[in-house]
């Protein structure tokens, strides 16, 4: 079967955009995961696009290779989608009005409605801003709070495990977040196994960070979502929001940054492959009340469309 696709990335988080109606009915998830494989389009997430059902501009179902169900949200997908709607035929395909200097899109996701704002000039997407408060709300509903795993303080941020690399190194000084040797992989995977066992979470979601910026950010991040399957994301939008939630819950954010009238901006260095940090910047804009996010949006410094074409999928 032939499928039309747009492939892009947000700081190395590789997204495949597809028309949901082109898949075999009842086999969409299975086939989308197959498309993500290395012998097809080699992506981290696939977005299956559909006409909306509740007043939004567009609906999406999101597949990723380590989950046996659709995931509720993907920030990288929204960034790539915002660019693709302007710079490929996708906007015309779904009848989405594109306006300058700002195009706004309302996206229907499993977590709720997500607003995407695209700074637009001469038919190009200059910057994409995604509001992920719907995902933040889902995270708080699932549960947020401090935990201790194998003697290491960590934070649950909804379905995400958030780990400060410096706290890991205090207990295990040889931990290597650049080369990821076998000992480090086993240690971090063990934390996640215990986290999932204790919380009942079935999806693999991980954010590792420290406060040792190398470029222009406030902290460094990487997202080793499923270490046994070598599933690392260099950047991650939902993971960035989870990091913000975790830093608030642990009190680290208050110790590291000063608030201004309930609002705070946090810059995360990303895009370094499996290494902690990188040259790209994910900027979080957060509004905080009573120690919780009541509004959050983000943008990433490097969003690119890398391919537009057709892929033939063996059924």
């Amino acid at each position: 079967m032939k499928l039309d696709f747009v492939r892009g990335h947000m700081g190395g988080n590789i997204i495949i955009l597809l028309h949901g109606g082109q898949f075999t009915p009842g086999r969409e998830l299975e086939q989308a995961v197959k498309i993500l494989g290395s012998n097809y389009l080699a992506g981290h997430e696939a977005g299956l696009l559909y006409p909306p059902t509740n007043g939004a501009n567009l609906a999406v179902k999101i597949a990723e290779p380590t989950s046996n169900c659709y995931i509720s949200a993907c920030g990288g997908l929204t960034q790539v989608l915002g660019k693709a709607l302007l710079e490929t035929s996708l906007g015309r395909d779904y009848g989405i009005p594109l306006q300058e200097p700002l195009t706004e899109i309302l996206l229907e996701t499993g977590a709720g409605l997500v607003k995407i704002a695209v700074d637009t000039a001469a038919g190009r997407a200059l910057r994409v801003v995604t509001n992920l408060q719907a995902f933040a709300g889902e995270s708080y509903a699932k549960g947020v709070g401090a935990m201790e795993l194998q003697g290491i303080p960590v934070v649950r941020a909804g379905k995400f495990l958030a780990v400060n690399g410096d706290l890991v190194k205090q207990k295990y000084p040889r931990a290597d977040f650049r080369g990821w040797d076998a000992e480090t992989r086993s240690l971090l995977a063990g934390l996640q196994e215990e986290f999932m066992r204790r919380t009942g979470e079935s999806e693999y979601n991980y954010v590792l960070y420290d406060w040792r910026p190398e470029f222009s950010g406030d902290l460094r991040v990487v997202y080793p979502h499923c270490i046994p399957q070598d599933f690392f994301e260099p950047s991650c939008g939902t993971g960035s929001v989870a990091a913000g939630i975790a830093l608030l819950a642990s009190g680290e954010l208050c110790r590291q940054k000063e608030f201004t009238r309930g609002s705070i901006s946090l810059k995360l260095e990303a895009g370094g492959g499996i290494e902690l940090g990188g040259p790209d910047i994910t900027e979080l804009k957060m509004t905080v009340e009573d120690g919780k996010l009541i509004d959050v949006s983000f943008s990433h410094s490097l969003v690119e469309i890398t391919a537009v074409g057709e892929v033939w999928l063996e059924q």
Side-chain angles (χ1 to χ4, degrees):
M1 62 187 296
K2 183 184 74 171
L3 300 169
D4 299 303
F5 75 88
V6 175
R7 187 177 191 268
H9 78 97
M10 179 195 81
N13 179 206
I14 302 170
I15 306 298
I16 314 298
L17 300 173
L18 302 143
H19 299 288
Q22 293 183 343
F23 286 83
T24 305
R27 296 183 60 196
E28 294 92 341
L29 179 61
E30 167 203 344
Q31 293 175 342
V33 169
K34 194 172 184 179
I35 287 290
L36 291 170
S38 58
N39 56 332
Y40 282 100
L41 295 178
H44 292 113
E45 282 89 16
L48 281 63
L49 304 177
Y50 296 91
T53 60
N54 64 354
N57 299 108
L58 188 61
V60 64
K61 293 182 178 180
I62 308 164
E64 62 97 359
T66 67
S67 178
N68 59 4
C69 62
Y70 292 113
I71 63 174
S72 62
C74 174
L77 182 146
T78 65
Q79 294 278 294
V80 173
L81 177 62
K83 191 171 182 68
L85 288 172
L86 266 78
E87 299 183 3
T88 76
S89 65
L90 282 183
R92 296 190 299 274
D93 292 344
Y94 291 93
I96 295 175
L98 307 179
Q99 299 176 330
E100 295 186 6
L102 183 69
T103 295
E104 294 185 334
I105 303 114
L106 198 58
L107 183 65
E108 182 182 322
T109 75
L113 295 176
V114 171
K115 185 177 180 180
I116 306 170
V118 188
D119 292 338
T120 309
R124 307 289 293 179
L126 305 180
R127 180 171 178 259
V128 182
V129 177
T130 303
N131 186 292
L132 276 182
Q133 184 56 33
F135 174 74
E138 175 192 277
S139 299
Y140 283 113
K142 279 182 167 288
V144 172
M147 303 176 66
E148 185 173 293
L149 304 177
Q150 300 180 24
I152 299 171
V154 303
V155 179
R156 179 185 186 182
K159 61 185 178 181
F160 269 83
L161 168 60
V163 178
N164 183 327
D166 285 336
L167 297 181
V168 175
K169 282 181 170 289
Q170 286 179 17
K171 190 171 180 65
Y172 300 96
R174 293 172 53 186
D176 177 9
F177 303 132
R178 290 193 180 274
W180 285 91
D181 57 30
E183 184 179 359
T184 302
R185 286 172 176 261
S186 178
L187 168 64
L188 270 290
L191 294 180
Q192 187 175 45
E193 288 172 8
E194 185 177 347
F195 172 80
M196 294 174 74
R197 185 169 57 250
R198 287 172 55 179
T199 62
E201 288 295 331
S202 59
E203 293 181 19
Y204 293 89
N205 294 285
Y206 215 134
V207 53
L208 176 71
Y209 65 92
D210 68 19
W211 295 91
R212 301 175 183 273
E214 297 179 290
F215 301 94
S216 59
D218 297 303
L219 69 161
R220 305 187 299 178
V221 291
V222 70
Y223 305 90
H225 293 307
C226 188
I227 296 167
Q229 296 184 33
D230 207 33
F231 189 72
F232 287 66
E233 289 186 0
S235 64
C236 176
T238 53
S240 301
V241 173
I245 291 172
L247 294 172
L248 276 169
S250 69
E252 288 182 65
L253 193 55
C254 296
R255 292 192 294 270
Q256 296 282 347
K257 297 276 285 184
E258 292 184 3
F259 287 93
T260 304
R261 297 179 183 174
S263 298
I264 190 169
S265 175
L266 190 65
K267 294 182 178 180
L268 287 66
E269 294 182 353
I274 68 170
E275 294 187 8
L276 186 59
D280 303 334
I281 297 292
T282 304
E283 185 173 9
L284 279 179
K285 299 278 192 181
M286 300 176 285
T287 304
V288 180
E289 187 175 289
D290 297 328
K292 293 177 61 175
L293 293 185
I294 61 169
D295 194 49
V296 60
S297 62
F298 87 98
S299 62
H300 193 81
S301 63
L302 180 63
V303 181
E304 297 179 311
I305 304 300
T306 56
V308 178
E310 301 171 345
V311 59
W312 288 85
L313 179 66
E314 183 180 343
Q315 299 188 64

